[in-house]
């Protein structure tokens, strides 16, 4: 039988989340090997305890009452690089810091992940919500995801198709109790050109093909300016990143949103509202724009919580607050957007420890 690592009681999840919020875990284990992970899953199964898989805690909103179950912190480390013809296969185990993986790929001259620099958290969580930024998403470069199937504790290799990726979405996000991501393998391009799809990134360069490392540095600069890098000295970065996803709507809804925006005097002509046509004919709206135009200004403060001074989509905990305060603010923001534009914002982070969806 595999050895079970030490179980710790009374761990406050506020110390393991980027928001610095959330109550205690009933039990907490750190696993560094797959055998330990299996032992921890068996332990929870025998006792009928719910399980929370914990990466870097940068996409979690944990209830003030904590989590009545076993938190398994995933600490399996290791990175491996292999060549396959013109492609470099980079494998990172789940517990590696995501930004360290990106930094390593850029240092090796491998194109494909450079725009994902500075996203907090661990490598194993990146497929969960198909992390993306500045024109790149992990699904574009994923070759395979190695998982542990929780139904039988067997390992499986999943193709990107099997992961059912979407915008900030995947099978792992929709069915959180099915798999543990053990490692992710990316197919990267040695000596490839950086991606400059995102206009503010492209505009920062006068030359057409800046090096991968210059692009990484610029991405980090842009993220820092928006407090989207975890930085203990920046109070606006104490968040879960974007609190809402960008709404995806059909054309009829878009026209209705535009009509309401003109009627409310928010815009004079329809091209003043940012929106992006997707390949499937639907339209992506900019949640941050909707929030600000609904009257919620950046830097809004409500006691211990508020809206980031640098990014209307990020809700921030300034210290000494409760998750309930943050959720009350989130509900308010959502109601204002609904009232003005008729659009329902959906939360991006994973809610933990609630009996019913709190939003
Ligand atoms: C300042 C800031 C900026 C951010 N910017 C971005 C951004 O630009 N783009 C973006 O997409 N996201 C962004 N995020 C959100 C967040 O960083 C990502 O979602 C990240 O991938 C979460 O990783 P984590 O390790 O912290 O996961 P956690 O928050 O620990 O977990 C998130 C979810 O994944 C599950 N999970 C974690 N590890 C595994 C695993 N190995 N197997 C199965 N399930 C697992 C957890 O159970 C949970 O449901 C930002 C967050 C912050 C705080």
């Amino acid at each position: 039988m595999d050895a079970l690592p030490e179980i710790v009681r009374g761990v406050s999840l506020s110390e393991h989340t980027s928001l610095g919020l959330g109550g205690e875990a009933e039990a907490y284990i750190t696993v560094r090997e797959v055998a330990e992970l299996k032992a921890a899953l068996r332990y929870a199964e025998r006792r009928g305890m719910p399980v929370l898989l914990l990466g870097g805690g940068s996409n979690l909103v944990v209830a003030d009452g904590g989590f009545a179950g076993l938190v398994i912190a995933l600490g399996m480390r290791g990175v491996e690089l292999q060549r396959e013809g013109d492609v470099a296969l980079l494998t990172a185990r789940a517990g590696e810091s995501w930004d360290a993986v990106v930094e390593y790929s850029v240092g090796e001259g491998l194109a494909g992940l450079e725009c994902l620099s500075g996203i907090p958290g661990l490598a194993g969580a990146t497929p969960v919500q198909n992390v993306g930024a500045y024109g790149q998403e992990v699904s574009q470069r994923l070759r395979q995801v190695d998982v542990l199937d929780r139904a039988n504790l067997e390992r499986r290799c999943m193709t990107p198709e099997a992961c059912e990726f979407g915008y900030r979405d995947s099978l792992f996000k929709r069915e959180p109790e099915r798999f543990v991501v053990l490692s992710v393998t990316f197919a990267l391009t040695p000596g490839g050109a950086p991606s400059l799809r995102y206009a503010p990134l492209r505009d920062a360069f006068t030359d057409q093909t800046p090096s991968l490392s210059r692009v990484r540095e610029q991405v980090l600069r842009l993220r820092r300016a928006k407090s989207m890098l975890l930085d203990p000295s920046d109070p606006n970065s104490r968040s879960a990143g974007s609190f809402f996803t960008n709404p995806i709507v059909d054309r009829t809804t878009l026209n209705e949103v535009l009509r309401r925006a003109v009627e409310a005097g928010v815009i004079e002509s329809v091209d003043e509202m940012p929106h992006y046509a997707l390949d499937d004919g639907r339209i992506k709206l900019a949640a941050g724009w909707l929030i600000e135009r609904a009257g919620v200004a950046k830097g809004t403060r409500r006691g211990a919580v508020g809206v980031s001074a640098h990014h209307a989509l990020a809700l921030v905990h300034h210290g000494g607050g409760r998750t309930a305060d943050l959720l009350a603010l989130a509900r308010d923001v959502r109601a204002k957007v609904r009232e003005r534009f008729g659009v329902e914002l959906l939360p991006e982070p994973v809610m933990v420890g609630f009996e019913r969806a709190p939003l």
Side-chain angles (χ1 to χ4, degrees):
M1 194 49 89
D2 304 315
L4 181 70
E6 187 197 354
I7 297 176
V8 189
R9 310 273 168 192
V11 172
S12 171
L13 291 173
S14 64
E15 285 160 30
H16 296 274
T17 54
S18 53
L19 273 165
L21 289 171
E24 288 184 359
E26 183 185 340
Y28 186 105
I29 282 187
T30 304
V31 297
R32 293 194 172 77
E33 289 309 326
V34 177
E36 293 179 348
L37 169 64
K38 286 186 185 178
L41 289 169
R42 278 196 205 99
Y43 174 90
E45 175 78 31
R46 277 198 301 271
R47 286 161 182 77
M49 290 169 94
V51 165
L52 169 66
L53 300 170
L54 179 67
S58 64
N59 210 23
L60 298 181
V61 175
V62 180
D64 293 309
F67 180 68
L70 177 64
V71 173
I72 304 180
L74 298 160
M76 297 89 88
R77 307 289 302 271
V79 174
E80 204 182 286
L81 189 57
Q82 281 179 310
R83 287 290 164 127
E84 189 192 74
D86 294 344
V87 170
L89 294 179
L90 175 62
T91 300
R93 293 183 83 202
E96 281 294 327
S97 142
W98 172 248
D99 191 50
V101 173
V102 177
E103 187 179 24
Y104 174 73
S105 72
V106 167
E108 292 292 313
L110 306 173
L113 302 177
E114 60 282 353
C115 295
L116 303 175
S117 295
I119 296 181
L122 305 184
T126 57
V128 175
Q129 70 151 357
N130 183 18
V131 298
Y134 303 157
Q136 283 181 337
E137 284 183 336
V138 282
S139 59
Q140 295 162 345
R141 291 293 186 147
L142 266 172
R143 168 67 68 86
Q144 77 181 45
V145 180
D146 281 8
V147 299
L148 189 73
D149 189 332
R150 285 174 57 184
N152 52 18
L153 297 192
E154 280 176 18
R155 293 173 82 139
R156 257 171 75 177
C157 274
M158 291 176 68
T159 60
E161 293 70 38
C163 300
E164 298 176 16
F165 289 117
Y167 163 64
R168 297 296 171 274
D169 194 30
S170 74
L171 180 65
F172 309 117
K173 185 150 187 178
R174 287 194 299 277
E175 297 186 25
E177 309 208 332
R178 238 175 116 181
F179 301 108
V180 185
V181 174
L182 300 176
S183 68
V184 280
T185 299
F186 296 96
L188 304 176
T189 315
S195 162
L196 294 175
R197 242 167 275 152
Y198 181 65
L201 185 59
R202 194 168 55 239
D203 294 347
F205 299 101
T206 46
D207 44 338
Q208 299 220 314
T209 48
S211 66
L212 293 172
S213 53
R214 283 181 62 215
V215 170
R216 171 173 161 80
E217 279 160 26
Q218 185 58 25
V219 167
L220 293 176
R221 227 171 275 135
L222 289 170
R223 293 188 71 93
R224 189 175 297 286
K226 290 190 191 164
S227 297
M228 281 287 121
L229 280 185
L230 280 190
D231 174 357
S233 67
D234 176 1
N236 285 292
S237 77
R238 205 170 187 192
S239 74
S242 299
F243 200 90
F244 300 104
T245 53
N246 289 317
I248 295 180
V249 300
D250 58 22
R251 199 147 278 282
T252 315
T253 311
L254 170 70
N255 290 336
E256 174 60 12
V257 175
L258 288 168
R259 190 193 63 72
R260 282 173 172 246
V262 173
E263 195 181 275
V266 173
I267 53 173
E268 280 172 13
S269 80
V270 293
D271 20 280
E272 286 172 44
M273 186 177 93
H275 57 281
Y276 316 92
L278 302 178
D279 292 343
D280 63 6
R282 292 182 303 162
I283 298 101
K284 195 198 273 190
L285 307 179
W289 188 94
L290 294 171
I291 290 172
E292 284 195 272
R293 299 313 185 283
V296 183
K298 286 185 194 131
T300 296
R301 211 37 219 262
R302 191 187 289 169
V305 297
V307 177
S308 162
H310 304 133
H311 191 18
L313 256 187
L315 301 189
V316 176
H317 172 219
H318 292 283
R322 295 170 316 140
T323 301
D325 305 328
L326 189 86
L327 291 172
L329 176 65
R331 276 187 211 106
D332 220 40
V333 169
R334 204 148 93 130
K336 289 208 160 87
V337 169
R338 187 190 308 123
E339 245 162 62
R340 177 146 292 178
F341 299 108
V343 174
E344 200 66 50
L345 292 180
L346 298 176
E348 186 189 291
V350 176
M351 304 285 158
V352 172
F354 299 92
E355 268 170 37
R356 283 179 283 114
L359 282 180

